[in-house]
Every structure is written in structure tokens, then in C-alpha cells.
Amino acid sequence: MHLAFDLIVELDRALLSAAAAAGVEAGTFQPGVRTSDPRHGDFQANGVLGAAKRAGRPPRPLAEALVAHLPESVRRDFDVAVAGPGFINFTARPSLLLAWLQVYRTEGDLAAGASAAHAGETWVVDYSSPNAAKQMHVGHLRSAVIGEAIARLLAFTGAHVVRDNHIGDWGTQYGKLIWAYRRHLDAEALARDPIEEFERLYKVGNAAAEADPAVLEEARAELVKLQAGDPDNLAVWRHINEVSLEAFQRIYDRLGIKFDVTLGESFYNDKLEPVYSELARFGVSTESQGAQVVFHPEHPRFKTQPFIVRKSDGAANYATTDLATVLYRVEHFHARCVLYVVDKRQGDHFEQLFLTAAKWFEKRGQAVPRLVHVDFGTVLGEDGKPLKTRTGDSIKLRGLLDEAAERAFALVSQKSPDFPEDERRRIAEIVGVGSVQYADLSQHRSSDYLFSWDKMISLDGNTAAYLLYALARIRSIFRRQGLECGDPSAESGADAFQTPGEVAVARKLIKFADALRLSSETLCPHFLCLYLYELAGEFSTFYNADKVIGAEPAARARRLVLCARTLLVLETGLHLLGLRTLERM
Ligand code: ARG
């Protein structure tokens, strides 16, 4: 039996053909079907209002005409009603709910249903992208967590995703760093905490250069040698970057992140010349005080605020590299869309980059891909200021994740004191890291958020621990009955849902498709988080009201369908957000 995964897409289509059959002029009607307030049904179409207005017709009779022309199958599956000035409300019938849950029974089924959305498209996701030789800060963590969730959502909805870690591995800081590395490297400290040692070396080099002009000259000379490809300096530079990447990788491993490519800024060094020369030749850039810059006269600020693509000393910068990167991603990956998951404080840079790329590509006679700055707000400490340690340094991510696991261990030990300690530790790592991830994901990404251990690692509210616990609890329902979850024999003989609790869970489950679409279209994972949280809440209400074990056979079977599918959707959803899940908690 064919049954659409995303019922909204199906209803949109049905309404469009009903409109054609009812004589509505093509192109004047957008169905606008959305998930509705559950009191009015499951889905609501509000597009009649606009169409009627454009046609100068009263909306209600138009809505009624559309309903009369809906295909038989829609009337069989939904209770359809016209409401208010001309809304059309659709309430899924219990038979449809059961049929949908019987078709979409595995993660593979869900993926197959969801994959139509972005099939055949290549998306490059640029995320995490920390700077070598420097501590990754909470902003890079946020980028990593949000970027990974978005990459997974896009892949699940059918896109070919290229995960690219655009490491900052080139720049003037290497002069002082190499100078200090040669003279002051502490091998033991390097082995203990390489990034900390590199940060120390940079400070040493910087202080020495400030105190003594001769050192400044020497550091400059090291930089010039590096840029000219001197093998010794290249070797030091390579070592610094490799060791930095290894340190970053340990964080990525804890977060379950695997990049497809790590093309840092240095990768583009030999691809910068065409950027300058083409921009100048096409008249996109102009010269200003010896630098090559791009103005955007059509923009209120960027008509006077320049986008510097080549500094007056002839050197490239962040902007040049990013322009070369756009071209590479188009020519090499055939990207149709490129996402930059970066702190919103870099908003101006990306706005100028996108405007410049559009003009450059137009002159090249090439289509520019869709470029999106997937921005996010700052992580704030309890004092409302950007999160820092007491001494004002940036927080080390390893320590942050360790503390999360430690705090989660206390929670798990309190909840399940009888579990063996090593199991509690394993659970705590998943709950702790998951809590940090989930806190980054569950709020609108563009707003700043307050970092609070107590809110984040808690069984109450929209948290990772709450969802992981809800999921583990469903697993235990199956375990206690000696059943595999999703076992078809346990579900056979299920009849249509009856109790308010059953119906509410089933209605929520069929909207997983909508939550996925909304999250991937807006590139906002918090929509999926909220959906999972609400699903877990509906499930808990149902489970407290309706017994599963000991119910008569047909009721037991249909309730086991709800248990199994809630588990499936919670698990799929949490995996898409980048979290790991648990057997028990
Ligand atoms: N390395 C930069 C930073 O730490 C972020 C790079 C983001 N990606 C990009 N293509 N500009 O601020």
C-alpha cells in the first residue's frame, strides 16, 4: 500500500488538484497546509483566504467547493471540515493513523519516506572550523553541535552532504609561533596538552616581540620563510597543525563527528591569485589606499564599509580565502548549497562574502550556489556575559565535557544506584555529552543562551536526560515482556486506536515528517527537539492512563505499536541531533 510519509505534502497536492477541478485559475492558489492546533484537527489549509481575496470571491464557498472536489482517498483517510472564514481542517481517521504506523516501522522506512525532500542535491556544510594552535572555544563547540545535527538532517532528507572542517591553519600568527617553538618548546608540556603549549608559545613569542624589535624582525623573517615554502618552517607548521587536529579529533570523537574533508585555509593558498585578478578584471573590486576592496553601493552599510580582499601589503586574508573556497566548492563538489555554521558576530563578513560572490559569479557566467550563514548566538555564563573561566580565559572543551559527564554520573547514580559503576560511567558519558549537545540544539540557534549545568543536566523539562530516560523506559516495557521492540507478531491483531491517550500519541507520531521538514527547511534543529519533547510527553500521558501489559489482545497489540513507534521516532530523532541513546538508564 502506498501511503505518503509527509501527509502535508500529500494534502497540498490533493488540494491543488481539487482547485484545478473546481476551476480555480492555476497559480493563484497556494494550499498552505500546516500542522494545526490539535483542537482543530491534525492539519489545516489556510490558502483559500488569499486565493479568494485575489479572485474577489467570498472564501467560504470556495473552501467548500475545494472540499467537494477532494479525491475519495482523502475523504476516506481524513475527517474534513471547513471552519471560520475558510480554513480547511483535516483530522486523520484512526484507520489512517494505524496504517501509517504499520508502513513506517523502521529507521530505514522513515529515511526512505523523508529522502524525497533533498534527493539529488549536494550540500556543503562548513562547521566547527576552529583555529589551529588555539583552544577550541564554546562557539566552535556550538558550531560543531549545530552543524553536525544539520548535516545529519540534510542527509536523512536525501541530500548528498559534504562535511567540511574549514580549519584556520594559516596566517600571520605563525611567525611568532615558529620563532617561539624553535627556542622555547617544552616537550613534556606538548605531550600533556599540546594546545595549551602552543598557546603558551604564542604568548611567549608575542611578549618577546613586543619587548624587543629584533625579535619582531626574526618572527617576521620566520613568517616570510614559511610563506616562501621553506622546508624547515613548513615542517614546524605542519607539526603544529597535525597535533592541533589530533586534539580537536578527541572532542569530535566524543560528539560522534566525522568530517568528510578537512580543507583548512592553507589548502586555498595556491587558489588565491585568480580571485584577485578576476575581481579586478571584472571591475568587482577597486583599489583603496593600496588595498583591493569591494563596495556594495546597493547596501546601506557596505556601500561605505569595504570588504577587503587583498591587504595593502599584497597579502590575502580571511575574505580572499573564503572567496576561493566558494569557487572550489562549486567546481569540485558541485555544491548547490553551502552552509556556514558560524557565530552570528561574523554576520557582516558573510553578508559581504555572499554579495561579492554573487557579482563575481555573474561575471564568470556561472550560477552561484545558495550560500547561507547558519548563525548562532553567544553562549553566556550565569552572569550574562560570554562564558569564560573565573580567570577570564576561554573554557577548555575537554574539561567542559568531563564536567558534564561527572555531573551526569551523580544524576545516574541517584536514579539507578544498583547499576554497576562502570555501566553508570558509560551511561553518564552519553547523558553528559548529550546534555551539552541538546542544550545547544533545543533553543533557537540565533539567540544567545545561558549556560546552566542545573537546567541542562536534569530529568525535568526539555532536556537530553528526559528524552533518553523516556526512551530507555519504553525499552524496558519490551524487555519485561520478553519481546523485541517492533516485533511484528506482538503487533498482529492491532485494531484502530480508541482511547484519547492512544489517539494523541498516534497523531503526534505521524507528524514526525513535518518536524523533519520544518527543521531541515529552516536549518533550525530546535523544531525537532521540541517535537521529540512533546512526543515524549504525549507518550507518558498515554502510558500512565492505558495499561499495555495485561490489556486484552487487540488493545495490547495496538498499544505495543505505539510503544514501538514512539521508541523508533525518539531514537531516530535523537540520532539525527547527534546524540547517542541508551538501552537502560
Ligand atoms: N576559523 C574561523 C573562526 O574561528 C571560522 C571559520 C568559519 N568558516 C569559514 N568558511 N569562514 O572564527
Side-chain angles (χ1 to χ4, degrees), residues 126 129-131 140 166 168 265 318 322 340 342 346 349-350:
D126 175 329
S129 308
N131 300 320
H140 295 120
H166 189 78
E265 293 179 12
Y318 192 49
D322 260 333
Y340 299 83
V342 186
Q346 293 193 28
H349 167 75
F350 286 108

Side-chain angles (χ1 to χ4, degrees), residues 61 64 85 87 197 222 257 291 307 332 377 391 449-450 483 485 516:
E64 274 151 11
F87 299 118
E197 175 60 5
E222 297 289 16
I257 295 177
F307 191 49
H332 188 81
T391 54
Y449 94 91
L450 218 60
L483 289 170
C485 43
L516 286 179

